[in-house]
Amino acid sequence: MRRLPGIAVAAALAALTPQAVGDRTPEAGPATRRSDAPESRQAVFARVARTSGVPESVLLAVAYLESRWDANNGLPSVSAGYGPMHLVDGRLGPELRRHDTEDPRGDERRPRPPVVPAAQAPPPEDTLHRAAELTGITPARLRRDPAANIEGGAALLADHQRRIGAQPAADPARWYGAVARYPGTTGTGAGTGSAGSFADEVYATIRTGAARVTDDGERVVLRAIPDLSPPRLPTSAGLRRAAAPAPDCPPALSCEWMPAAYRRLKQGGYGNHDRYDAPRPIDYIVIHDGETGYDAMTRLAADPTYLSWHYTLRSSDGHIAQHLRGSDIGWHAGNWYVNSRSIGLEHEGYLARGAWYTESMYRSSARLVAYLARKYQIPLDRAHIIGHDNVPGTTPETVRDMHSDPGPYWDWRHYFELLGSPLTGSSDPTARSVLIRPDYALNRARFTGCAKSGTCPSRSTSSVWLHSRPSETAPLVRDVGKHPTDASTYSVYDQAARASTGQRYALAGRRGDWTAIWYLGQKAWFHDPVAMRTSVPATGRLVTPRPGLTSVKVYGRAYPDASAYPRGVPPEKLTPLQYTLPAGQFYSLGMTSPATYLRAGAFDPSHHRIIRGDTPYRQIQFGHRIMFVRAADVRVISDEDRR
């Protein structure tokens, strides 16, 4: 099993003591406990290991891969899993939700109203209630009490060990089959990976070790066992390998080929993607959440009347299904220019129902993205690895309905650490850009819209709110595209006035514990206290209107001028968005994009063609979303030029 690039845990952790694992803030708790203090999480793992017969290293590694040992305030994951051991409440069941009306194809020449067909899927394995049966602990306590949750997870592992006919053992290697069964997915269909991919990752974690401070201030250490070599997956584990065409995934991942539907429709047209039989330029990887479960998503991808994306990732064990070839164009981002230059990844889960994503899914996703980025030479930064919520509208009319996933609960900072490209910013304190980088565990921004009550539970988030003045009581900044007649809101679905981890903005001012950036044509202030910074200095190129221009038009795509289209091909209309970039303001440059339009619309891909123009565009971080300006309208400067 190859190690995931970028994981900052190495075999040297074998020598770590709990005191060697640094706290983020004093809130992380004292290094020692009084005798009458509650049992530490480390002690709970040790005690439960003794009483259950499950080796402590196995318990710790399974919990790390599910939750990184976090309690998450008793809130469920995006796939209804609770606590450090991710005990899944199968009675909640997956639902299919869409919270906006974006046209996923994003091509007004071929408008496609979003139709959501039925996608019945079996509920997930109910490990929460099974753990309750095995332990006698109530489901409510298993959800909210981390110690009880660990007992429930250990009972499940011991039960799996019995069911596959294996005896309890002190040797961690003899628990491989039970660990492979733990996520509750017996049919992984591993094309290039293995049915034991989750177990492989667990045992890789045991070999390297791990250590961190949890979201509730608990220091936990898994000491490395470098020489541990688990046996091969036993046939009695109840898992299977499926023979199928090889998907385009890293060899170590559990990944299978589940093709999206491609056929003509009775009512005309075809679905559910565009095929392209030649290499196409790929600049982006778009991160989505699917607003439903893995089984429902894979069924929807096989429906020609629905939409398409390239990969679906499962929460419980990080298993991946590939639906489209890299050369094919998915209908997923709501912007045809981005669709034609991107690969889309749908992750099991919900933007607002559930508080967190599993470590297994983060790791699989990061390994897949790192592999694709190498293959297509995509830089690992937030100008190229973007969320669906960073994709711009194509015309002024489409801006309001653009999607907002994966939302503020996706941990971009941790994700880029797993990618091997940590968001470090610059050591130069005079740098004139800032990189948004709050401490995810401690950053608990206010949100509404998660439930009928209108208030979201306190959760770790990757976003900061942007105000019109340096005050918490000041109104949020305006977004004339998202809110043409009303104010920005604190809704979890409203990204009009917030910046996200990894995004770089030009510094516009500082006042006390507040920092201002240029955002959507205005100064936007966010709380950035010296004692707990939510940004770091950053360097990089910026753009500003060229001399003589009072403002510059902003676009949602980089299409060629009309003169670039050959005879018989109607030119795409170049419609600026409702925003402008005023003189005297600066915005971070992500890349210089050639003017291109991939003309599709025919079932036979031989009719498709890429039209290239001579007008380059600059991609900028203009608000929460990326946008484009004509290169001729702006000048590019470095941070040094502004000093």
Side-chain angles (χ1 to χ4, degrees):
M1 180 74 170
R2 297 187 303 174
R3 293 183 187 176
L4 177 62
I7 297 178
V9 177
L13 283 172
L16 278 178
T17 63
Q19 288 77 16
V21 184
D23 292 336
R24 287 180 293 264
T25 72
E27 293 178 11
T32 59
R33 296 174 183 266
R34 302 188 312 270
S35 59
D36 60 343
E39 189 179 24
S40 72
R41 188 140 320 142
Q42 187 85 50
V44 170
F45 277 111
R47 171 178 59 79
V48 173
R50 290 192 301 271
T51 58
S52 67
V54 180
E56 184 177 355
S57 61
V58 171
L59 269 182
L60 284 164
V62 168
Y64 187 85
L65 261 294
E66 294 287 24
S67 68
R68 291 203 295 161
W69 305 318
D70 286 340
N72 290 293
N73 275 353
L75 297 170
S77 75
V78 295
S79 52
Y82 288 84
M85 301 301 294
H86 196 248
L87 301 181
V88 175
D89 188 348
R91 298 182 184 181
L92 294 180
E95 56 180 307
L96 187 61
R97 302 173 62 188
R98 293 291 172 192
H99 46 75
D100 42 39
T101 57
E102 173 196 88
D103 176 357
R105 191 153 53 189
D107 182 358
E108 58 265 29
R109 285 195 179 275
R110 300 183 296 154
R112 183 180 179 82
V115 177
V116 182
Q120 297 299 322
E125 183 173 334
D126 194 336
T127 57
L128 178 79
H129 289 88
R130 177 58 180 161
E133 293 174 0
L134 292 169
T135 62
I137 302 172
T138 65
R141 188 177 164 211
L142 289 170
R143 291 189 191 97
R144 69 174 183 268
D145 182 348
N149 187 274
I150 293 167
E151 292 180 37
L156 285 172
L157 283 165
D159 186 52
H160 293 322
Q161 187 81 337
R162 288 190 296 271
R163 287 172 178 266
I164 64 175
Q167 296 296 317
D171 181 3
R174 296 181 64 181
W175 288 80
Y176 186 89
V179 170
R181 183 64 181 80
Y182 186 83
T185 52
T186 58
T188 61
T192 60
S194 72
S197 180
F198 175 80
D200 288 341
E201 195 69 55
V202 166
Y203 280 86
T205 303
I206 294 174
R207 287 193 294 273
T208 61
R212 71 183 295 265
V213 177
T214 67
D215 61 347
D216 52 350
E218 294 281 351
R219 294 187 183 92
V220 184
V221 176
L222 165 60
R223 298 182 184 278
I225 308 177
D227 299 328
L228 181 67
S229 297
R232 295 177 63 84
L233 182 70
T235 56
S236 57
L239 301 164
R240 60 179 173 83
R241 289 182 172 87
D248 187 17
C249 292
L253 283 183
S254 176
C255 190
E256 64 180 309
W257 173 249
M258 297 177 66
Y262 188 73
R263 59 177 179 266
R264 297 184 187 276
L265 303 177
K266 292 180 179 178
Q267 63 271 33
Y270 60 92
N272 56 17
H273 60 279
D274 283 287
R275 289 192 171 168
Y276 197 71
D277 290 338
R280 63 184 177 104
I282 297 177
D283 292 325
Y284 309 101
I285 297 175
V286 184
I287 305 298
H288 305 256
D289 77 61
E291 294 299 303
T292 189
Y294 173 87
D295 288 330
M297 281 192 289
T298 53
R299 283 169 167 77
L300 288 170
D303 187 332
T305 68
Y306 194 56
L307 319 174
S308 59
W309 47 92
H310 293 80
Y311 297 89
T312 299
L313 290 93
R314 189 162 61 200
S315 173
S316 60
D317 58 357
H319 179 67
I320 300 170
Q322 182 181 3
H323 308 299
L324 302 178
R325 302 173 303 168
S327 60
D328 293 334
I329 305 161
W331 300 345
H332 60 92
N335 182 314
W336 180 250
Y337 177 80
V338 174
N339 279 343
S340 67
R341 303 179 73 90
S342 71
I343 290 176
L345 276 62
E346 289 277 5
H347 297 77
E348 179 177 18
Y350 303 83
L351 188 157
R353 194 196 84 173
W356 48 286
Y357 296 87
T358 66
E359 181 69 3
S360 293
M361 188 161 64
Y362 273 130
R363 288 192 173 206
S364 288
S365 180
R367 185 177 281 123
L368 176 62
V369 167
Y371 166 82
L372 294 171
R374 287 191 299 270
K375 179 173 182 176
Y376 296 107
Q377 299 182 315
I378 302 171
L380 290 174
D381 59 40
R382 289 285 274 119
H384 299 80
I385 312 301
I386 61 177
H388 197 171
D389 54 352
N390 305 133
V391 176
T394 56
T395 64
E397 294 74 25
T398 65
V399 168
R400 293 191 68 176
D401 292 327
M402 295 300 291
H403 278 205
S404 47
D405 60 294
Y409 305 124
W410 182 265
D411 189 349
W412 285 107
R413 185 170 175 176
H414 178 54
Y415 193 60
F416 271 81
E417 290 170 354
L418 294 175
L419 284 170
S421 184
L423 302 168
T424 55
S426 170
S427 59
D428 183 357
T430 66
R432 301 303 294 170
S433 297
V434 294
L435 192 74
I436 305 300
R437 202 190 66 170
D439 186 313
Y440 180 80
L442 301 178
N443 187 51
R444 293 178 176 258
R446 163 192 175 190
F447 286 100
T448 61
C450 289
K452 293 180 180 179
S453 65
T455 302
C456 298
S458 176
R459 305 172 181 175
S460 298
T461 72
S462 60
S463 296
V464 297
W465 287 111
L466 302 173
H467 296 263
S468 57
R469 300 189 308 276
S471 169
E472 293 284 2
T473 60
L476 297 174
V477 293
R478 286 289 309 278
D479 182 340
V480 297
K482 184 76 173 177
H483 296 283
T485 61
D486 57 356
S488 301
T489 73
Y490 287 95
S491 170
V492 71
Y493 298 109
D494 187 356
Q495 71 290 337
R498 64 181 192 239
S500 182
T501 294
Q503 293 177 325
R504 182 171 65 90
Y505 296 91
L507 181 66
R510 293 193 190 274
R511 190 180 302 173
D513 285 342
W514 289 79
T515 296
I517 56 176
W518 294 115
Y519 185 95
L520 294 177
Q522 62 202 301
K523 270 190 180 181
W525 294 87
F526 63 93
H527 196 221
D528 194 20
V530 174
M532 192 176 73
R533 287 291 191 193
T534 52
S535 74
V536 294
T539 58
R541 294 181 300 167
L542 305 168
V543 303
T544 191
R546 66 174 174 80
L549 294 180
T550 58
S551 65
V552 166
K553 294 178 180 179
V554 178
Y555 298 86
R557 49 198 174 182
Y559 278 171
D561 289 323
S563 59
Y565 291 80
R567 185 186 300 272
V569 178
E572 293 300 304
K573 187 177 181 181
L574 282 168
T575 305
L577 301 178
Q578 51 269 77
Y579 311 104
T580 58
L581 195 168
Q585 295 187 11
F586 300 83
Y587 291 86
S588 65
L589 174 62
M591 71 177 102
T592 298
S593 302
T596 61
Y597 172 63
L598 196 157
R599 185 172 185 267
F603 185 75
D604 183 354
S606 66
H607 296 293
H608 302 343
R609 63 186 302 178
I610 296 178
I611 297 159
R612 295 178 170 85
D614 297 326
T615 304
Y617 287 78
R618 311 289 192 193
Q619 177 188 308
I620 60 174
Q621 187 67 59
F622 192 61
H624 187 80
R625 301 181 187 272
I626 60 171
M627 296 184 198
F628 304 92
V629 292
R630 289 175 178 267
D633 291 341
V634 296
R635 63 188 180 99
V636 178
I637 61 174
S638 68
D639 263 6
E640 288 73 17
D641 295 329
R642 294 185 62 200
R643 294 175 187 169

